[in-house]
């Protein structure tokens, strides 16, 4: 049993929960973005606001970290978890921005599967954050995230094969590939979040 002489700052748990819930909002905006007939400029604007909110969450965590003497787990892990969550949002926002900048109106069918992977990963991440308090029932979270990331890799490879099949002109291929790359990076970033949570849980067990 650990003896604690100084009160521990536990507000980090709520802050991580807020940050992860923002990822759910971002992922659902991506679902809207690729929907037929969507107002993509308006959705991209919402995504920018979402990314800004994510930055605010991250900055708040960093400020609290600098002000706190006793943290709920290692300071380095708090920094890493905040940073990796922020990375996910950055990748999703960049994908949405590129869609508008490149005036992309049609997407390969497989992109729906990629976005569904991100939406599910966001939901699982948001569900996992409150469990950091007890460090219990987290192993299923990172196992499922790893499975989703592998699924995302398979979807990504199929999308690339489709892009280079000759169906699209060269310029369209270049535009779509940049968007798809950002979505794949977002899936990787979700795995980095899960790996960080696993590291924290192992240290605290």
């Amino acid at each position: 049993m650990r003896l604690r002489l100084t009160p521990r700052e536990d507000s980090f748990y709520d802050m991580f929960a807020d940050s992860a819930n923002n990822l759910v909002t971002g992922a659902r905006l991506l679902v809207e973005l690729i929907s037929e007939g969507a107002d993509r400029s308006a959705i991209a604007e919402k995504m920018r606001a979402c990314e800004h909110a994510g930055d605010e969450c991250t900055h708040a965590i960093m400020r609290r970290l600098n002000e706190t003497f006793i943290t709920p787990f290692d300071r380095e892990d708090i920094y890493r978890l905040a940073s990796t969550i922020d990375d996910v949002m950055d990748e999703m926002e960049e994908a949405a921005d590129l869609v508008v900048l490149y005036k992309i109106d049609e997407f390969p069918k497989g992109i729906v599967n990629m976005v569904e992977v991100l939406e599910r990963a966001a939901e699982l991440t948001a569900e996992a954050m409150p469990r950091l308090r007890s460090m219990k029932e987290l192993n299923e979270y990172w196992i499922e995230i790893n499975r989703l990331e592998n699924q995302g890799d398979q979807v990504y490879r199929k999308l690339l094969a489709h892009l280079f099949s000759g169906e699209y002109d060269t310029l369209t291929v270049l535009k779509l590939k940049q968007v798809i790359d950002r979505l794949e990076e977002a899936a990787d970033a979700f795995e980095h979040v899960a790996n960080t949570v696993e590291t924290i849980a192992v240290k605290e067990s």
Side-chain angles (χ1 to χ4, degrees), residues 5 17 38 62 67 74 80 92 177 186 200:
L5 302 178
M62 298 308 180
E67 297 166 356
D74 283 354
R80 185 181 172 202
M92 292 196 296
K177 185 177 184 301
I200 294 166

Side-chain angles (χ1 to χ4, degrees), residues 116-125 127-128 131 137-153 187 190-195 198:
E116 285 176 348
V117 165
L118 297 181
E119 184 181 25
R120 183 57 184 148
E123 291 167 351
L124 288 169
T125 302
E127 291 168 7
R131 299 202 291 273
E137 299 178 359
L138 282 166
N139 61 320
E140 291 183 2
Y141 154 66
W142 63 67
I143 289 170
E144 181 61 13
I145 289 291
N146 288 335
R147 188 195 68 78
L148 281 171
E149 196 276 333
N150 289 334
Q151 181 181 330
D153 282 345
F190 270 118
E191 186 176 40
H192 296 159
V193 173
N195 290 343
E198 182 177 11

Side-chain angles (χ1 to χ4, degrees), residues 79-98:
Y79 177 84
R80 185 181 172 202
L81 184 56
S83 297
T84 52
I85 291 174
D86 190 58
D87 288 344
V88 176
M89 192 67 242
D90 287 346
E91 297 292 352
M92 292 196 296
E93 189 275 333
E94 186 173 346
D97 196 37
L98 288 171

Side-chain angles (χ1 to χ4, degrees), residues 33-51:
L33 185 78
I34 64 171
S35 299
E36 187 175 350
D39 184 343
R40 296 191 172 91
S41 294
I43 294 168
E45 188 63 35
K46 290 180 183 178
M47 184 68 89
R48 279 190 286 274
C50 194
E51 192 270 339

